[in-house]
Amino acid sequence: AFNLLTAFAIAACQAPATQPSNETVSTAAADHADCRTIQHAMGATEMCGQPQRVVVLGPFLLEPLLTLNIQPVGYGDHVEFHQGDYTDPSQQIPYLGNRITQPIANVGSAYTPSAEAILKLQPDVILGFEGNDYETLSKIAPTVLLEDRFDAEQNLRTIAQAVNGTEQAEQLLMQTQQQVTAARETFASLVATHPKVVLLSSSELRDIRLANPNEPCGTLIQALGFQFVLPPRVNKDKTSAYTPISLETLPQLNEADLVILLGHNFSDLEQLDSIERFEAQQLSKLKQAWEENAIAQSLDASQAGRVYFIPIYLCRGLPGPIGTELYLEELKEQLLAPK
């Protein structure tokens, strides 16, 4: 199951277009005086005016687009939760669908979208990531491919430049920083009494991974003032984002005051008929497995009732402003609840 999760970050490198620094002039441009060159993973793309028809591939790009108040005409998801067009986005696109105000087309998988479906939409711009087939997509419309899906600030700035919303992007980044600063004050009393945290990821305890403090789900925890507990000989600056550990390793982390489990479960999606069921499924098996496991229950944090479950989708699938807000809301609701 974790392989499905990490598919958010995995994309085979595609051959660049014949000219990596290809400059494509937007066919939708009405005002050629308002032109800009967007630097991205595959070179440079020239855009003019305000794009009206945007196709976006992946939730981590849909997120910043929506924060800029741009509604897409087509979308390709990482998690194939819904088949067919998004006629009711609020029930068909996890966590972001309620921000989409009109039906939009489904262009297939974010990794291997349907060129035919995209072509039918006649987009002004296509937003994707480095693993997408730039040569094919750029023949359909001006295409901007982002290099690092976890670099939320840079991605927001790049997308904002493409859709002519640079000033708005800077305001959004400032607002997000203010939210985090305010949250640090909100969590100050808890950090003072229970500062040490273990951050884990799993689906149902058969694939436990230790989250690195420097990856997206960990950086916010650090920003709130918490200290990470790591096993002996684990160097946070030299390990991967998610390091596999065994259940038997958990007692080595027992000094933690809090345990936060980032849950995920992307199996049997075709059996789900609503976003609510999708969101509940992310955590249900993990919660049950933790409650039934003797080693997990032996930890001091378990005994004190300080184990918390949060969908990893919020911080790993949505590393930008919307995900940060949702992640903070979950942390506040759970960690600050009266004991």
Side-chain angles (χ1 to χ4, degrees):
F2 193 79
N3 288 337
L4 288 174
L5 163 70
T6 54
F8 280 119
I10 296 174
C13 293
Q14 301 287 341
T18 305
Q19 298 178 346
S21 295
N22 175 51
E23 293 188 357
T24 309
V25 180
S26 170
T27 57
D31 182 6
H32 290 278
D34 180 20
C35 295
R36 60 255 178 223
T37 300
I38 296 97
Q39 300 291 334
H40 57 96
M42 301 306 294
T45 296
E46 185 175 333
M47 297 287 300
C48 297
Q50 175 66 56
Q52 300 296 320
R53 300 182 63 78
V54 182
V55 169
V56 60
L57 305 175
F60 71 98
L61 299 182
L62 177 61
E63 176 190 23
L65 187 71
L66 292 174
T67 64
L68 293 165
N69 296 320
I70 303 294
Q71 293 288 318
V73 296
Y75 174 57
D77 207 339
H78 282 296
V79 179
E80 296 184 28
F81 168 68
H82 175 72
Q83 305 297 317
D85 288 336
Y86 298 107
T87 55
D88 185 8
S90 67
Q91 287 302 310
Q92 296 163 343
I93 299 177
Y95 301 105
L96 296 176
N98 58 356
R99 297 170 185 262
I100 298 176
T101 59
Q102 60 193 22
I104 60 175
N106 185 343
V107 299
S109 166
Y111 299 105
T112 55
S114 166
E116 181 181 3
I118 295 175
L119 185 61
K120 287 180 179 178
L121 294 173
Q122 299 182 322
D124 299 329
V125 63
I126 301 169
L127 302 175
F129 57 96
E130 192 174 16
N132 290 129
D133 184 350
Y134 181 68
E135 186 171 5
T136 298
L137 295 176
S138 61
K139 290 177 181 177
I140 298 174
T143 298
V144 175
L145 300 189
L146 285 299
E147 185 173 0
D148 181 359
R149 81 174 193 86
F150 294 125
D151 192 345
E153 289 190 16
Q154 183 57 49
N155 289 347
L156 177 59
R157 288 189 170 109
T158 301
I159 291 173
Q161 191 180 11
V163 300
N164 216 12
T166 298
E167 184 176 340
Q168 186 180 357
E170 295 306 318
Q171 293 174 349
L172 287 165
L173 290 172
M174 187 181 301
Q175 289 171 8
T176 298
Q177 185 55 53
Q178 290 171 346
Q179 281 183 321
V180 175
T181 300
R184 185 182 177 94
E185 295 179 5
T186 301
F187 279 89
S189 59
L190 176 62
V191 170
T193 57
H194 300 83
K196 296 182 179 180
V197 173
V198 166
L199 187 64
L200 304 172
S201 170
S202 186
S203 59
E204 47 188 304
L205 288 191
R206 291 199 297 261
D207 57 342
I208 307 175
R209 293 177 182 251
L210 182 73
N212 190 304
N214 296 327
E215 66 84 46
C217 298
T219 53
L220 181 58
I221 303 295
Q222 284 198 109
L224 295 176
F226 291 103
Q227 304 167 19
F228 275 71
V229 175
L230 301 172
R233 297 182 298 279
V234 171
N235 186 328
K236 69 178 182 179
D237 296 320
K238 296 183 179 179
T239 56
S240 63
Y242 286 85
T243 303
I245 62 173
S246 66
L247 265 170
E248 290 71 24
T249 306
L250 291 181
Q252 297 180 23
L253 308 173
N254 199 36
E255 66 177 288
D257 301 303
L258 316 172
V259 174
I260 299 175
L261 285 133
L262 303 170
H264 56 88
N265 180 6
F266 299 134
S267 61
D268 303 321
L269 296 181
E270 66 277 0
Q271 299 178 14
L272 305 177
D273 56 5
S274 70
I275 288 297
E276 288 77 12
R277 289 182 182 273
F278 172 86
E279 294 174 358
Q281 177 174 278
Q282 299 307 296
L283 302 175
S284 57
K285 289 185 178 181
L286 178 58
K287 286 181 177 179
Q288 181 178 352
W290 186 269
E291 292 169 359
E292 295 175 352
N293 185 273
I295 295 176
Q297 291 303 306
S298 72
L299 299 181
D300 290 347
S302 288
Q303 297 292 317
R306 297 190 181 277
V307 177
Y308 309 97
F309 300 85
I310 296 176
I312 198 171
Y313 200 114
L314 299 185
C315 50
R316 197 161 172 82
L318 307 174
I322 296 174
T324 298
E325 183 176 350
L326 294 175
Y327 194 19
L328 278 174
E329 288 175 0
E330 282 291 332
L331 290 169
K332 288 177 184 177
E333 183 176 332
Q334 295 190 45
L335 275 62
L336 300 180
K339 290 294 179 185

